[in-house]
Structure formats: C-alpha cells, structure tokens
Amino acid sequence: FVRLSCLGFILRPIFAADNPAVVMAYIFGFMILVSAHEAVARPKITYPGMFRDGVCSLGASLLCSGMVLLAIVTPSPWYNAQYLIPLAGMLINNSLSGVALALNQMIDYLTTNKDYLEVLLAFGATPWEAAWPGFRKSAQAALIPAINGMNVVGLVSIPGMMTGQILGGASPLKAAEYQIVITFLISGCTFMAVALTCGFTTRAFFDARGRHDTSRVTKQ
C-alpha cells in the first residue's frame, strides 16, 4: 500500500513534465538499477561486477525490446510517459524473474562442477564449451515461468494489460492484439536478459587464459 501510494506521487510529476530526459532517467536510472539490485541480492555466492552485469543484462534487453515496442505501439510523442513507463515496467518485471533464476543456477553450476569443468578444459574445450551444459540448463530453468505464462494466457486469466484496456473502454479484439504483442516482447526480453546473464556469469568465472578461476568468488 505504501509503495503504491508513493509510486503514484512519484509518477504524477513525471507524467506532467512530458520530458524525454526525465522519462529515460526514471526507467534506466531508477527502474533498471532497483531491478538489478534485487536480482543480484538472491545468490549466496557473489563475484565482483555482478551488479554491473545485472544492469547491463536488463538494460540491453529492455533497450532492444523497447525499440521494437515503440515501432509497434507508436505513442505520440515517442517518450510519452503514460505508455513508456508502464510498458517498461512489464518488460523489466518479467525479465527480473528470469535473470534472478538464471544467475542463481549458473553460479551454482560453475561452483559445484569445478572438477568437471577443469577436465573439459584439460581436453581442449574453451570456457564457453565447458560452461555450455550449465548455460543450457540455467536458461531452461529461468524461462520456465515465461513459457508457462504463455501456455495459459487467455485461458486461465485475462492478462493485466488487456484487462486495463477493456476496463478503459477499448475493444476486446484491439486489447487482445496489444496483449499478443506484449506477450511476445516479454518473452523475447526475458530470453535476451537470461542469455546475457549466463554469458556474463560464465566470463566472470574464467580468467584471461581460459582457466576456471573461483578466487574472486565470495559467499554472502
């Protein structure tokens, strides 16, 4: 209750300002940073630069998906806070869940399979080849919520954006079209964020010479 009330007070002047710099600062300077902090706070094992990697994963995936979304929705003006902030929140929120799961799974794989990884490296595998089984398993586990959501969307419940448009008086067919676009973009954004997270985590656990290195890893 308190958070939502504060959010209303924060968004009111942002909507009134109608300034692209303010909107972008709120999305990338606040929403992304808070989400990245939340994503990296869960793993019991950390490494230097983990927060930075979380910011890059979420920020890059949001930027790519956001550009596609702008081309489809075409708000006027393009920086209209009434469209950008809620849509960005949907993309970030779903990507956050995927990033948190992928990060935890990938770190667990790279720390508990040290002997296996070193055997693969000794036989000539590159760090990326050695980490690939963990990359695949982490990505699969992280994308399960998004895939399950797509499987039941429109059957078990009406998605939030579609509900809002219908309550606002929009045609159900038009609301369904927008929801389809959002659903695919959410899945794409989540996949991109998960892939980047697994890639950044893999890079952090190998040194410049391709050796498995856990010397910088710390337990919380």
Side-chain angles (χ1 to χ4, degrees):
F1 175 77
V2 175
R3 287 185 182 179
L4 292 176
S5 299
C6 292
L7 178 62
F9 283 111
I10 293 171
L11 292 181
R12 185 176 179 180
I14 294 177
F15 283 17
D18 196 29
N19 188 309
V22 174
V23 175
M24 292 297 107
Y26 180 77
I27 293 174
F28 289 96
F30 178 73
M31 296 173 70
I32 289 291
L33 293 181
V34 171
S35 299
H37 179 269
E38 183 65 22
V40 304
R42 294 291 174 260
K44 296 181 180 179
I45 298 176
T46 63
Y47 63 86
M50 193 161 73
F51 174 72
R52 177 201 62 213
D53 292 345
V55 171
C56 292
S57 298
L58 290 169
S61 59
L62 175 64
L63 185 62
C64 294
S65 300
M67 293 175 66
V68 177
L69 185 60
L70 284 176
I72 296 173
V73 178
T74 60
S76 181
W78 67 267
Y79 53 84
N80 192 328
Q82 187 177 354
Y83 287 90
L84 250 60
I85 292 178
L87 292 174
M90 291 182 188
L91 296 176
I92 295 172
N93 182 59
N94 287 273
S95 298
L96 167 61
S97 301
V99 167
L101 289 170
L103 184 62
N104 193 61
Q105 290 279 339
M106 199 68 199
I107 289 177
D108 181 69
Y109 176 82
L110 292 172
T111 52
T112 59
N113 294 277
K114 184 177 180 179
D115 293 339
Y116 174 72
L117 292 170
E118 290 181 349
V119 168
L120 291 178
L121 294 173
F123 278 93
T126 66
W128 298 105
E129 290 172 339
W132 175 247
F135 190 112
R136 188 179 65 250
K137 291 179 181 178
S138 300
Q140 288 175 344
L143 292 173
I144 285 175
I147 295 172
N148 287 343
M150 290 184 68
N151 286 338
V152 300
V153 66
L155 297 175
V156 177
S157 63
I158 300 177
M161 183 180 179
M162 187 174 176
T163 301
Q165 286 189 309
I166 292 174
L167 292 176
S171 165
L173 289 177
K174 192 68 175 180
E177 291 175 1
Y178 275 107
Q179 186 60 55
I180 291 170
V181 172
I182 290 297
T183 301
F184 279 109
L185 284 176
I186 284 174
S187 301
C189 187
T190 303
F191 175 79
M192 193 179 306
V194 165
L196 288 172
T197 297
C198 292
F200 286 139
T201 307
T202 299
R203 184 188 62 181
F205 276 77
F206 294 89
D207 61 19
R209 298 179 62 183
R211 297 174 299 185
H212 187 244
D213 181 17
T214 58
S215 61
R216 300 185 302 158
V217 173
T218 58
K219 292 185 178 181
Q220 291 186 348

